[in-house]
Amino acid sequence: MAPVLAAGEPLIRWEWIGRNWDDDIAEALTEHLILSLVPVAIGLAVALPLGIACARWRRLYPPVLAATSVLYAVPAIALFVVLVAFTGLTYATVIIPLAAYTLSVLVPGVVDGLRSVPDHVRQAAEAMGFGPVRRLVQVELPLAVPVVMAGLRVAAVSNISLVSVGSLIGIGGLGELFVTGLKRDFPTPIIVGIALTIALALAADLLLLLLQRLLTPWERTGGRAAAPKEPRRPLVTGGGER
């Protein structure tokens, strides 16, 4: 049941926030950041090569997409409970399922981003002597950044929200404040937890958006990425190369 305020009981007790900020709240906030962002980093590290492989070998993509979609369909709390038997009450119990959820968002983003690169851009790169690896790194991946970053933003915000579910097994970052408030019929921890979760989600989304703008400077001018430049050939004269 939701907490019921007694007569004259304030919705927020600021003195409680002040007393607990340096200990319980700061600890929960730090734990929430770790449990939210580490799965995103792991998911990105796995999704990039996996997405590149799926874009390169198209027959690989359907089974990979099906596997990640099945994982995403499994409720988070069910995976937490199953993993407790193997990993115990550790960060891994929360990080592993959230990394799997991140894959289900990022792998399609990487594949769609690479497939969105126009064919004439690839052909221009090949005509200038770009090998497959150089073309991927210098041409295709930069052009795929907006699509990949869109998936990364969704994954980061989703993870920040889902981490709170881990509080049901004793590992939940800011979710622990929800449990504390419900057990004590005390709304202040619940409100603090909600406010900090929203603040974290907004901050993560803003930082990723700024990172995207740094990685795609051509979008700030409303243009497209510049075509790959042909390496400058040395000028040969009677006196040799210059």
Side-chain angles (χ1 to χ4, degrees):
M1 296 179 60
V4 179
L5 295 178
E9 176 71 17
L11 186 62
I12 300 178
R13 285 192 173 273
W14 297 103
E15 69 277 8
W16 181 90
I17 298 175
R19 289 196 312 268
N20 293 274
W21 181 264
D22 292 335
D23 297 323
D24 295 343
I25 299 176
E27 182 180 349
L29 182 60
T30 302
E31 185 178 53
H32 204 100
L33 280 171
I34 295 171
L35 294 174
S36 301
L37 301 184
V38 170
V40 174
I42 295 173
L44 181 61
V46 176
L48 273 177
L50 189 58
I52 291 170
C54 290
R56 173 64 178 83
W57 297 287
R58 293 180 179 269
R59 292 184 179 179
L60 181 63
Y61 186 42
V64 170
L65 182 62
T68 56
S69 298
V70 168
L71 286 174
Y72 192 79
V74 179
I77 186 60
L79 285 178
F80 293 162
V81 171
V82 170
L83 282 174
V84 165
F86 301 95
T87 57
L89 295 177
T90 63
Y91 284 178
T93 304
V94 175
I95 289 174
I96 292 173
L98 294 186
Y101 292 154
T102 301
L103 281 177
S104 67
V105 176
L106 291 185
V107 170
V110 173
V111 175
D112 293 342
L114 292 175
R115 288 181 177 177
S116 68
V117 178
D119 287 336
H120 71 270
V121 174
R122 292 192 178 93
Q123 293 168 3
E126 291 174 357
M128 292 179 182
F130 282 45
V133 176
R134 185 182 176 192
R135 185 188 67 195
L136 173 67
V137 173
Q138 296 187 5
V139 179
E140 296 178 352
L141 283 178
L143 291 177
V145 164
V147 180
V148 176
M149 290 300 294
L152 196 62
R153 290 167 64 188
V154 171
V157 172
S158 298
N159 279 1
I160 289 172
S161 174
L162 286 172
V163 164
S164 300
V165 180
S167 62
L168 297 177
I169 61 169
I171 309 170
L174 294 172
E176 297 292 341
L177 298 179
F178 304 155
V179 174
T180 298
L182 289 172
K183 285 182 177 179
R184 298 170 54 187
D185 285 344
F186 184 34
T188 299
I190 300 174
I191 295 173
V192 171
I194 292 173
L196 289 177
T197 301
I198 294 173
L200 281 181
L202 291 175
D205 190 63
L206 179 59
L207 288 175
L208 290 174
L209 181 59
L210 291 175
L211 179 60
Q212 177 182 334
R213 289 175 64 84
L214 289 175
L215 294 176
T216 56
W218 60 86
E219 289 195 337
R220 295 199 294 271
T221 59
R224 296 182 62 85
K229 295 182 179 180
E230 184 176 3
R232 185 186 177 196
R233 294 187 176 87
L235 177 62
V236 180
T237 64
E241 294 184 357
R242 294 183 183 174

